Amino acid sequence: MARLFGTDGVRGRANDQLTAELALALASAAVRVLGADAHPTRPRVVVGRDPRASGELLEAALCAGLAAAGADAVRVGVVPTPAVAFLTADYAADFGVMISASHNPMPDNGIKFFARGGHKLPDHVEDAIEAAMADPQERPVGAAVGRIVDATDAESRYLAHLAAAVPTSLDGVTLVVDCANGAASTVGPHAYEAAGARVIPIFAEPDGLNINDGCGSTHLGKLQAAVLEHGADLGLAHDGDADRCLAVDSTGAIVDGDMIMAILALAMHEAGDLTDDVLVATVMSNLGLHLAMKAAGIDVRVTGVGDRYVLEELRSGGYALGGEQSGHIVVPASGTTGDGVLTGLMLAARMAQTGRRLADLAAVMTVLPQELINVPVTDKHAVASAGSVLAAVAEAESELDGTGRILLRPSGTEQLVRVMVEAPTPESARGIAERVAAVVADV
């Protein structure tokens, strides 16, 4: 039987794979695992969501499951995932739950848990929750049944946290922010405006159905156009739950997560804030990032794909900065998980501090041409390990002969196999990726 939890919680098509019944069972099991040491008081749980229509029914089911297991649910409404992580710690809750499928399309949804303090769960704790689902226990009755309340100050607490984390004024900076019609549609523009920037929000009118629809960090074309139209200094793009941030410079060029990490790593290195001069990145980060960091005397520690693995490495080494090419950037001094709005504030603050254009700051890194092809499959793990696929990868590695690299991996959240190739030219990267992707598709 396949593991219920993926690389970032439990995801699936809402009301199909991810049902209200499953949400209720997950919540009840989580109380027994994550709230086990809450006695003599009963567990307190923060519950947030993104604006997807299905989030309403899943929130109701989760809160019912929490209360039925004897926990108090504190609903914080539509807020970014990092806000739930922060509020879990700020409210001294026993754990937190975020209902979101991040950058996935609207029909999908997901449930992710944060342990006490706002930290993501290690695999063995997720496995314990899954095991507890198969072991129902007697439910509390009477006064022992949990209560469900709405927080009235969740957004203001999170905004105050962001303001304290980035004290540099953004006065004089004009930015366009694409909120993906998602969880940052309110707090994102408010945070940038409070920091002093002139803010032009786009895709900041969620209706429950339009999240990530042709906008946000996976669809940057309209942000690029808006930056040029308004003559903005930069554009920032978040995904549906706002734990990601990608950028666009004043010329309309994309500044991805690798470039953002390079900019922030150099800033922290100069300030003496980059612990042991280490940056944590995943195997998906461009070779250009490694070369730029090596030239600056910064070591890059590499993890598997997924910000949870970046977080594990950051915590184990006490490091100060890590992230992914996709725009998950983690600064442990200011948060326990990737925070897209915080990343946008830090990037704009670096521009304000130095008086330099984003294009100039990003020029520290030369990107090796990269081609990424997502191949839909029926069994991603079986396909990725097929003999014909492994042979195609070996042939590609031989062809590159140390001048680039190929990475093939199953997606952590969808039935896809991702084929990524870096090579000296765009043409060679594209050609090799297409050839390997064709073999993957034929399995």
Side-chain angles (χ1 to χ4, degrees):
M1 181 178 175
R3 187 172 185 268
L4 181 62
F5 285 85
T7 57
D8 199 14
V10 178
R11 289 194 193 177
R13 193 174 179 89
N15 218 30
D16 182 6
Q17 295 114 344
L18 184 54
T19 62
E21 293 84 356
L22 177 57
L24 191 149
L26 270 169
S28 294
V31 171
R32 300 208 302 275
V33 175
L34 298 174
D37 60 352
H39 304 293
T41 61
R42 61 188 182 195
R44 190 181 193 211
V45 186
V46 170
V47 180
R49 64 181 179 89
D50 73 22
R52 290 167 213 262
S54 61
E56 299 165 3
L57 75 91
L58 292 173
E59 178 189 61
L62 275 163
C63 289
L66 294 170
D72 292 336
V74 181
R75 294 189 299 197
V76 296
V78 174
V79 295
T81 288
V84 171
F86 165 74
L87 292 166
T88 297
D90 205 47
Y91 285 134
D94 294 282
F95 65 97
V97 190
M98 178 66 183
I99 304 163
S100 175
S102 187
H103 61 284
N104 283 22
M106 183 277 295
D108 292 347
N109 217 323
I111 297 171
K112 59 185 84 174
F113 293 94
F114 293 98
R116 187 178 288 109
H119 298 285
K120 288 196 173 184
L121 307 185
D123 289 347
H124 74 274
V125 176
E126 291 180 338
D127 290 340
I129 293 172
E130 187 169 350
M133 293 172 65
D135 182 26
Q137 296 186 356
E138 184 177 350
R139 295 177 178 176
V141 296
V145 173
R147 305 296 297 271
I148 301 170
V149 299
D150 292 314
T152 59
D153 61 349
E155 184 176 308
S156 61
R157 281 178 180 242
Y158 178 56
L159 287 170
H161 159 69
L162 292 173
V166 186
T168 301
S169 172
L170 303 186
D171 184 42
V173 175
T174 297
L175 65 87
V176 180
V177 56
D178 181 344
C179 301
N181 290 317
S185 293
T186 299
V187 299
H190 285 175
Y192 298 124
E193 288 171 351
R198 174 176 173 257
V199 180
I200 302 161
I202 61 174
F203 299 107
E205 298 180 359
D207 62 8
L209 307 178
N210 59 3
I211 188 170
N212 298 323
D213 187 7
C215 56
S217 61
T218 53
H219 305 277
L220 295 174
K222 292 175 182 176
L223 176 62
Q224 291 172 291
V227 167
L228 295 175
E229 176 188 349
H230 295 283
D233 297 300
L234 78 159
L236 299 169
H238 302 304
D239 58 338
D241 69 338
D243 61 356
R244 296 188 188 193
C245 178
L246 295 180
V248 171
D249 69 26
S250 59
T251 72
I254 294 171
V255 178
D256 68 10
D258 284 344
M259 297 177 184
I260 294 172
M261 281 192 287
I263 293 168
L264 298 183
L266 289 176
M268 296 174 73
H269 175 68
E270 291 171 8
D273 295 331
L274 193 65
T275 306
D276 295 338
D277 287 325
V278 167
L279 169 67
V280 179
T282 77
V283 294
M284 291 296 287
S285 281
N286 194 277
L287 285 178
L289 175 64
H290 293 258
L291 296 174
M293 294 298 94
K294 183 178 181 180
I298 296 171
D299 182 34
V300 179
R301 301 289 173 87
V302 178
T303 75
V305 175
D307 66 337
R308 63 184 296 174
Y309 302 114
V310 173
L311 284 161
E312 288 174 5
E313 182 69 14
L314 287 168
R315 293 180 68 184
S316 66
Y319 302 126
L321 179 66
E324 298 186 277
Q325 187 184 67
S326 60
H328 286 120
I329 310 296
V330 186
V331 183
S334 299
T336 58
T337 188
D339 189 328
V341 179
L342 175 65
T343 300
L345 287 166
M346 293 183 69
L347 187 62
R350 182 59 173 169
M351 294 172 61
Q353 289 167 347
T354 61
R356 298 175 65 189
R357 299 185 313 150
L358 182 55
D360 297 332
L361 294 172
V364 66
M365 174 183 157
T366 300
V367 178
L368 200 68
Q370 185 182 85
E371 187 74 19
L372 175 64
I373 300 177
N374 294 320
V375 185
V377 295
T378 55
D379 187 338
K380 57 190 175 184
H381 297 291
V383 170
S385 60
S388 59
V389 172
L390 297 178
V393 170
E395 181 182 343
E397 289 175 337
S398 177
E399 182 178 339
L400 289 166
D401 193 25
T403 63
R405 64 178 183 135
I406 178 168
L407 178 67
L408 184 142
R409 69 175 189 90
S411 165
T413 58
E414 301 172 86
Q415 281 294 343
L416 301 171
V417 171
R418 306 193 194 279
V419 180
M420 189 274 284
V421 176
E422 291 172 350
T425 67
E427 293 77 17
S428 59
R430 186 179 309 112
I432 293 171
E434 288 176 347
R435 191 165 68 243
V436 175
V439 175
V440 172
D442 283 343
V443 174

